[in-house]
Amino acid sequence: MYRSGQEPDARFTLANERTFLAWIRTALGLVAAGVAVKALLDGGLAQLAATVLVALGALVPTYAFLRWAVSERALRSGRPLPAMVFGPAIAVGLTVAGVVLLVAVIT
């Protein structure tokens, strides 16, 4: 990757790295939330919510790396940056986990 194209402005490369690290922090938060739900709540709904949170937390680092690599290639070749495709999936997953937790707490 580093051998092709031109070296981009350092600010863009560093911003790409910060975004990668933000995704990693998000993954850590999702896993921690899943573990907390599992530890603090009982029942099938809590188990489902914890599973969704931990699964999202396990998938996000892979997406973060792939997104970083594609963005770095785009920066080096002068192409537009790719659209974010996994963000909506995280939003849906968190919505599902939140609704399931709400139902688990209410019942």
Side-chain angles (χ1 to χ4, degrees), residues 30-65:
L30 289 166
V31 170
V35 169
V37 167
K38 176 68 175 150
L40 298 174
L41 298 174
D42 289 332
L45 289 177
Q47 176 69 35
L48 175 62
T51 301
V52 169
L53 290 168
V54 172
L56 284 173
L59 293 173
V60 166
T62 301
Y63 171 75
F65 176 76

Side-chain angles (χ1 to χ4, degrees), residues 8-106:
D9 185 329
R11 292 173 292 181
F12 300 127
T13 297
L14 293 172
N16 193 26
E17 289 176 5
R18 283 191 303 273
T19 302
F20 170 78
L21 293 173
W23 279 106
I24 297 301
R25 285 190 302 273
T26 299
L28 182 60
L30 289 166
V31 170
V35 169
V37 167
K38 176 68 175 150
L40 298 174
L41 298 174
D42 289 332
L45 289 177
Q47 176 69 35
L48 175 62
T51 301
V52 169
L53 290 168
V54 172
L56 284 173
L59 293 173
V60 166
T62 301
Y63 171 75
F65 176 76
L66 295 175
R67 171 88 179 167
W68 170 83
V70 169
S71 296
E72 189 67 26
R73 281 191 208 104
L75 287 170
R76 291 180 170 278
S77 64
R79 290 177 295 155
L81 293 176
M84 183 172 68
V85 295
F86 197 62
I90 291 175
V92 169
L94 287 174
T95 301
V96 167
V99 169
V100 168
L101 281 173
L102 181 63
V103 171
V105 168
I106 290 173

